[in-house]
Amino acid sequence: MRVQTRGLDLPPLYREVRLREAGDAFAHACAIAAEAGAGTLVWSRSWHLFDVAVVLEPSLPLVRARGALYVGMSALADALAVHAPPEKPIAFAWPDLVEVNGGAVGGARLAWEPGTEREAPAWMVLHVAVRLAFEQAAEPGLTPEITALAEEGYGELDAATLAASYARHLMAGLHEWQEEGFRAVARRYLERLDRPRAARRGLDPGGDLLLRDEHGAETRRALAPALAAPSWLGAVGLAP
């Protein structure tokens, strides 16, 4: 694969910021978020890593605005599904890990302006990353828990193509959230949630995962502390 130098085919509401191959989209977006404003899309032109961060300006208090993670996860899965080989499963492990064909391939994370739970942050950064290809050839089956798109039959799918597709799905997901409420966001996310498993699963308005067993007993997994340590960074070659 070659590093892509062309710009992105983005909807008008986005503003593109391109980084060199070794650039860190998440760190750069966080650094410029306050001045750059909503719709700024930062991406790195890497041949082996899809690395995109989008600046948001939520109108909801932080406790509700964290739901953007689930919008980003579904948008990423939908973008991957467009380019996926037939019958290639795409699934989530709560809250932030994306798997293709049972192997970890990427995920999403959030950063935001420090503030209280009941205030809307001035900015929020939604970051997604996916391993496009292994940097070094690996023996097939050696690490089945980790994979790359190239290993799963995605061919020559590059970061620029996937970024443009993701941007459109993200815009559609944010619009759905605004028009139909968080219940629609939760439904789309839960459709792809593989783990943890339970008799019934749900997301409360603050994004916490609700699990109910066959006897009706319910447990809650809080989203905020789970976001403090993204589970997928090592799987795609980013520092944890």
Side-chain angles (χ1 to χ4, degrees):
M1 293 185 182
R2 294 181 297 177
V3 176
Q4 297 298 313
T5 58
R6 60 185 171 88
L8 302 183
D9 179 18
L10 296 175
L13 294 179
Y14 288 100
R15 294 181 300 280
E16 174 188 354
V17 176
R18 280 188 290 171
L19 305 179
R20 295 183 177 180
E21 182 176 2
D24 185 331
F26 180 64
H28 190 82
C30 290
I32 68 172
E35 294 183 2
T40 302
L41 185 147
V42 183
W43 69 292
S44 61
R45 297 174 294 171
S46 171
W47 65 269
H48 64 88
L49 180 66
F50 169 72
D51 182 26
V52 171
V54 177
V55 178
L56 308 174
E57 292 180 355
S59 59
L60 297 172
L62 177 58
V63 67
R64 298 286 184 96
R66 290 194 189 96
L69 178 90
Y70 299 122
V71 180
M73 290 282 285
S74 293
L76 178 57
D78 289 343
L80 291 174
V82 169
H83 303 282
E87 300 182 2
K88 186 68 67 170
I90 301 168
F92 303 146
W94 187 86
D96 55 5
L97 175 68
V98 177
E99 295 180 331
V100 173
N101 200 27
V105 75
R109 58 176 162 168
L110 287 175
W112 52 84
E113 180 198 40
T116 69
E117 291 286 299
R118 298 300 172 183
E119 295 176 335
W123 58 265
M124 177 173 278
V125 170
L126 172 62
H127 176 232
V128 294
V130 168
R131 187 192 291 274
L132 299 174
F134 289 107
E135 293 186 73
Q136 298 179 343
E139 182 179 344
L142 187 62
T143 56
E145 73 282 1
I146 298 174
T147 190
L149 297 188
E151 303 296 315
E152 301 299 334
Y154 278 77
E156 294 295 318
L157 178 63
D158 59 76
T161 300
L162 186 55
S165 181
Y166 166 73
R168 285 172 168 76
H169 286 290
L170 178 61
M171 179 180 289
L174 292 172
H175 179 75
E176 182 181 49
W177 186 10
Q178 183 179 19
E179 294 297 315
E180 301 183 28
F182 184 71
R183 182 173 297 181
V185 173
R187 181 183 68 250
R188 287 173 55 79
Y189 176 84
L190 292 170
E191 286 174 353
R192 293 189 184 272
L193 184 62
D194 181 60
R195 301 189 309 280
R197 297 176 181 177
R200 294 187 64 183
R201 301 178 297 188
L203 296 174
D204 79 356
D208 293 352
L209 179 66
L210 307 176
L211 303 172
R212 182 169 295 178
D213 65 20
E214 61 273 15
H215 304 294
E218 186 174 273
T219 58
R220 175 186 296 266
R221 296 194 181 184
L223 177 61
L227 293 179
S231 63
W232 53 270
L233 297 179
V236 300
L238 294 173

